[in-house]
Amino acid sequence: MAIALCPGSFDPVTNGHLDIVERASRYFDRVIVAVIRNPQKTQALFTLEERKEMLSEVLGHLPNVEIDFFKGLLVDFARDKGADAIVKGLRAVTDFDYELQMAQMNHKLSGIDTFFMTTNPQWSFLSSSLVREVARFGGDVSSMVPEVVLGRLKERYAEEA
Ligand code: PNS
């Protein structure tokens, strides 16, 4: 059984993430969406539970996809789960340097391979951080995130206002 990890912060999940996970689920027997518990990044917008709820809702139609959390090194989580591969989306050449470095480091540490999938060009400009920023200032992100995420963004920023 081939198991893949799709790791990330998913704060929140976007249509770009969905596209990658859906496509990965066609090539692997099991896909684990691995939500990092202790990102280096500054403040999170959504709690881990909220992120998991949104992911569960939008990925519920994929029977071979599950959601889990990890902290520490991704390669340790991969070993614990018996994962064979890491799957990442590449949006543009700007992603490449860092992703290549991480893929090579992860391979050096554990022998795990990383598979890159080219992002659908429709989503190549999309990131969770930009979605948060645009939504925070009232911009329209309805075509960029699933409906459940849109609702949560509106709620969250209405609370802040
Ligand atoms: O969605 P993000 O924030 O771009 O995801 C980044 C993530 C979580 C995939 C990356 O930071 C990661 O794998 N962190 C785990 C810590 C780790 O293993 N670091 C060494 C990477 S070579």
Side-chain angles (χ1 to χ4, degrees):
M1 181 184 280
I3 304 176
L5 296 182
C6 286
S9 310
F10 303 99
D11 186 32
V13 60
T14 68
N15 289 348
H17 293 128
L18 273 189
D19 174 56
I20 296 296
V21 176
E22 276 174 356
R23 284 158 62 202
S25 75
R26 293 184 217 146
Y27 302 109
F28 290 88
D29 300 303
R30 254 176 89 198
V31 172
I32 303 171
V33 175
V35 183
I36 189 165
R37 278 187 185 277
N38 56 340
Q40 312 267 300
K41 295 178 183 168
T42 47
Q43 273 233 297
L45 179 63
F46 292 106
T47 65
L48 289 168
E49 268 319 306
E50 287 171 325
R51 285 184 242 170
K52 186 176 184 183
E53 281 164 19
M54 289 185 269
L55 281 163
S56 303
E57 189 160 334
V58 299
L59 295 170
H61 62 294
L62 300 170
N64 61 338
V65 174
E66 62 204 80
I67 296 137
D68 208 338
F69 299 115
F70 76 103
K71 63 179 177 188
L73 288 179
L74 182 62
V75 291
D76 290 338
F77 182 70
R79 193 196 47 237
D80 291 349
K81 291 285 164 181
D84 304 284
I86 297 166
V87 173
K88 293 279 196 84
L90 272 187
R91 287 170 296 199
V93 69
T94 42
D95 282 342
F96 186 73
D97 276 353
Y98 187 49
E99 290 295 343
L100 177 68
Q101 207 181 357
M102 281 199 290
Q104 290 173 329
M105 174 62 88
N106 285 333
H107 189 269
K108 176 77 179 167
L109 290 173
S110 70
I112 197 165
D113 278 315
T114 299
F115 289 72
F116 292 112
M117 298 186 71
T118 51
T119 298
N120 182 325
Q122 201 183 353
W123 311 125
S124 59
F125 64 95
L126 206 49
S127 67
S128 297
S129 57
L130 271 186
V131 162
R132 291 197 302 270
E133 185 171 319
V134 172
R136 162 172 277 132
F137 296 114
D140 180 8
V141 294
S142 58
S143 62
M144 304 168 204
V145 293
E147 215 164 303
V148 58
V149 174
L150 187 65
R152 296 268 188 140
L153 283 167
K154 284 183 179 160
E155 264 172 40
R156 185 55 40 95
Y157 288 125
E159 285 162 13
E160 272 190 15

